[in-house]
Amino acid sequence: MSLNPDTYPVLAPGVEVNETDAGAVLRHRESETYLFLSETQYDIISLCTGTTTLRDVVRAISEKYGVEEERVWRDMEVFMDALRDRGMIALSPLRLPHPRLRGKRDVRSVRNVERYPSRYARLHVIALILTEMCPLECSYCFMALEARRKEREDVVMPPDVAERLLRESYELGARTLILSGGELTAYPWADRVVSSAYAMGYRHVRTSTKGIGVTREWADRMFAAGIRAMQVSIDTLNPETYRKMIPRGSVEAAVEGIMNLLESGIEVFVRTTVTRENIEDIPEMWLFLHDLGVSATRGVVVTPEGRADMDLVPSAEEMRMLRERVERAFSGKIGRREKSTRRFLWDIVHFRNGQPDACGAGIFSLTMYPNGWVTLCDSARRRIAKYPDLFVFGNFREQSIADIWYNSPVLDRYRRTKFRDECRGCPLLYDCMGGCPIFKDVIFGNVDDVSPLCTRVYPYYADGRRREEGGYYGWESVKRSL
């Protein structure tokens, strides 16, 4: 699509800019997608304020770099298309009254930049593992918590410590908070932490629960603290299957918890872990949850990590049949009803051959555990414990978050491994960044190899079959050549 040079480019709301020593990174807060920028592209973005036309942007870049405007314009069209495809920019026919980008950057100045980024100006997201206490012992738990065997100070984060971490992270730029665990309802001060975060200026607080411990009183307290939406994990309505998957839980209590949240005014988004144990139950359950009033259901294929093993992972054919059954179940139902009442979405997600599994940990986010770890995420807990020298960036009991973010040698080394020599000629380098450590260790028994999702490096399954680009990846072993 040709661009009108007299329009005013402006970053879409929810798109955040993070300056690096190699340019910058754009992060779309809602879709959790990002785009690495060269220094020249960063200059362009710095001019996309809604008060400068595309024509003037091209002229400024041409003057700075001594390049003909015609060439700049060709490159600009490609760049703008990439931004629009990601929902990161809009071209306004009107000049906005005030510049939309916060902070002033002189694009005429010249910086010495690196080829690949390793330093990031701001932190965007923090995740607090408030508690590793969980009474449920889910059969597929990737954390495989054994909290009852540990000292309490290592499994429960005191609320005053959580608030200190919130303050320090806010000063570094964080505006999104994820509260994780353990089971959130097992943490006595959840509403206090949420309320403190909003009072400090956090704009988004994301929470999740199994629903089993959600009383109406607890839901009301979370609503009063500022929570307006919550993820609830529920996998089946079959009591026998539920007890097999969550031995210490009750499906009746989980459903009641969902109803308590809805009645308190909290919007509910459901996550379902898809395994061979519950895959037949999902369409009927989602229909019930739709009728109950949840806003969305999302099926995520189990990760063979922690208590889960490969026997739980569905096959490609089972996943195809699941999608067909869900489509038939909702055929005609959503469109007819939602036009006049509310919006409902369902989705089934899984990993695909050749598709990047990029992770923003250490670049946009940090996760903090009760024992003091500042690290990757909750999903990789067992790998973090296995490789602390690689993935524990620091300890908040001994260091400030700023010191860890800017000065940790472990974090610096981790960021540099994102752009490994073997991958530097790949067009997907900045989309993939080497992949997730969990994938590598599950399949290869180490975290040094290229992600097994990569079909450029691993075009074959271990049995010699050629991998289909974009096809379902069910955690099979892979190899480089026949």
Side-chain angles (χ1 to χ4, degrees):
M1 179 179 179
S2 61
L3 302 179
N4 181 346
D6 295 316
T7 54
Y8 298 85
V10 59
L11 285 182
V15 175
E16 301 167 332
V17 183
N18 193 351
E19 184 175 280
T20 75
D21 54 352
V25 191
L26 297 183
R27 171 179 174 264
H28 196 298
R29 187 173 57 235
E30 298 304 320
S31 63
E32 285 297 338
T33 56
Y34 42 85
L35 182 65
F36 281 78
L37 306 179
S38 67
E39 183 74 354
T40 305
Q41 291 170 331
Y42 184 26
D43 286 337
I44 293 171
I45 287 298
S46 299
L47 294 169
C48 293
T49 62
T51 59
T52 304
T53 65
L54 278 174
R55 188 190 307 276
D56 290 334
V57 173
V58 168
R59 184 177 298 118
I61 298 301
S62 173
E63 290 175 358
K64 177 174 180 176
Y65 292 97
V67 178
E68 293 180 357
E69 289 189 17
E70 183 179 352
R71 178 180 170 186
V72 175
W73 182 257
R74 289 198 302 269
D75 292 343
M76 176 78 75
E77 287 185 310
V78 174
F79 183 45
M80 287 293 142
D81 284 345
L83 292 171
R84 296 172 82 181
D85 287 345
R86 290 168 170 81
M88 290 182 169
I89 205 161
L91 301 178
S92 171
L94 306 173
R95 186 181 190 276
L96 301 183
H98 306 288
R100 298 297 297 174
L101 270 180
R102 295 184 179 182
K104 191 172 182 180
R105 178 172 182 267
D106 184 1
V107 299
R108 294 170 298 180
S109 63
V110 178
R111 291 196 305 159
N112 292 322
V113 295
E114 302 293 331
R115 176 65 180 87
Y116 298 101
S118 62
R119 293 185 63 82
Y120 299 82
R122 59 169 294 196
L123 175 66
H124 292 266
V125 180
I126 66 162
L128 298 183
I129 311 297
L130 294 177
T131 177
E132 292 193 44
M133 301 293 291
C134 184
L136 302 177
E137 297 186 0
C138 301
S139 64
Y140 55 79
C141 178
F142 49 72
M143 294 181 76
L145 294 177
E146 299 174 345
R148 288 172 295 176
R149 303 179 186 178
K150 299 181 180 179
E151 296 297 325
R152 181 175 175 82
E153 65 179 9
D154 284 337
V155 298
V156 178
M157 185 180 291
D160 58 322
V161 172
E163 289 165 341
R164 173 176 71 82
L165 298 176
L166 288 175
R167 284 192 297 273
E168 291 186 22
S169 300
Y170 185 86
E171 291 171 0
L172 291 173
R175 297 296 182 269
T176 297
L177 168 65
I178 300 172
L179 298 180
S180 185
E183 168 55 40
L184 190 63
T185 57
Y187 185 75
W189 308 284
D191 58 322
R192 170 179 164 177
V193 174
V194 170
S195 182
S196 296
Y198 279 124
M200 288 179 199
Y202 282 83
R203 301 191 188 107
H204 306 275
V205 179
R206 301 175 186 172
T207 56
S208 61
T209 174
K210 283 288 186 183
I212 293 170
V214 177
T215 63
R216 178 60 189 272
E217 185 270 337
W218 187 88
D220 286 344
R221 284 195 290 114
M222 294 298 283
F223 183 89
I227 292 297
R228 294 296 178 267
M230 188 174 294
Q231 176 181 280
V232 178
S233 177
I234 183 169
D235 308 308
T236 179
L237 296 180
N238 183 311
E240 182 178 347
T241 305
Y242 195 93
R243 283 191 298 272
K244 185 176 181 181
M245 298 180 71
I246 298 107
R248 297 177 180 271
S250 157
V251 65
E252 293 84 0
V255 171
E256 186 176 48
I258 292 173
M259 296 182 70
N260 286 333
L261 290 170
L262 292 170
E263 289 172 353
S264 293
I266 296 175
E267 191 175 11
V268 172
F269 297 86
V270 163
R271 173 190 166 115
T272 299
T273 299
V274 182
T275 77
R276 281 182 164 156
E277 294 177 334
N278 69 324
I279 195 167
E280 295 296 323
D281 305 335
I282 291 172
E284 180 183 6
M285 178 181 69
W286 283 4
L287 276 174
F288 166 73
L289 293 170
H290 165 269
D291 293 342
L292 199 63
V294 307
S295 296
T297 56
R298 188 169 189 252
V300 181
V301 172
V302 64
T303 299
E305 165 74 350
R307 293 196 189 100
D309 56 36
M310 287 295 298
D311 292 339
L312 290 177
V313 180
S315 68
E317 179 63 16
E318 288 172 319
M319 291 302 298
R320 184 190 65 78
M321 292 178 63
L322 171 62
R323 180 170 292 276
E324 288 183 356
R325 291 173 58 231
V326 174
E327 287 174 346
R328 286 198 301 269
F330 282 102
S331 177
K333 185 177 181 66
I334 296 177
R336 184 177 66 253
R337 178 178 177 183
E338 313 316 328
K339 285 179 181 177
S340 59
T341 55
R342 61 185 175 84
R343 181 168 171 254
F344 176 86
L345 298 172
W346 66 266
D347 192 17
I348 300 170
V349 298
H350 54 76
F351 296 109
R352 297 179 183 276
N353 291 324
Q355 301 297 311
D357 56 320
C359 170
I363 294 175
F364 299 111
S365 65
L366 291 175
T367 296
M368 302 163 201
Y369 281 75
N371 65 358
W373 282 353
V374 178
T375 184
L376 294 173
C377 63
D378 58 354
S379 301
R381 182 185 181 279
R382 287 166 63 87
R383 307 304 172 196
I384 295 165
K386 183 177 179 181
Y387 304 105
D389 292 343
L390 299 178
F391 301 133
V392 177
F393 307 140
N395 192 307
F396 63 69
R397 294 180 178 179
E398 303 166 359
Q399 303 162 270
S400 70
I401 302 305
D403 185 37
I404 295 170
W405 183 252
Y406 292 121
N407 302 317
S408 166
V410 179
L411 180 54
D412 179 71
R413 184 171 63 248
Y414 173 76
R415 288 168 173 167
R416 292 180 188 277
T417 64
K418 291 285 188 179
F419 305 98
R420 45 191 301 136
D421 292 342
E422 186 174 6
C423 302
R424 290 189 176 183
C426 178
L428 295 179
L429 173 64
Y430 289 99
D431 296 312
C432 173
M433 295 191 298
C436 170
I438 292 180
F439 274 81
K440 301 175 187 180
D441 205 43
V442 168
I443 300 300
F444 302 122
N446 67 74
V447 294
D448 297 324
D449 281 298
V450 176
S451 169
L453 285 175
C454 180
T455 52
R456 289 169 174 79
V457 175
Y458 308 107
Y460 301 99
Y461 291 112
D463 61 8
R465 287 177 297 134
R466 190 167 188 93
R467 301 170 69 186
E468 178 189 357
E469 190 80 12
Y472 172 71
Y473 179 70
W475 296 86
E476 299 96 331
S477 296
V478 296
K479 62 182 182 180
R480 295 174 182 255
S481 60
L482 290 175

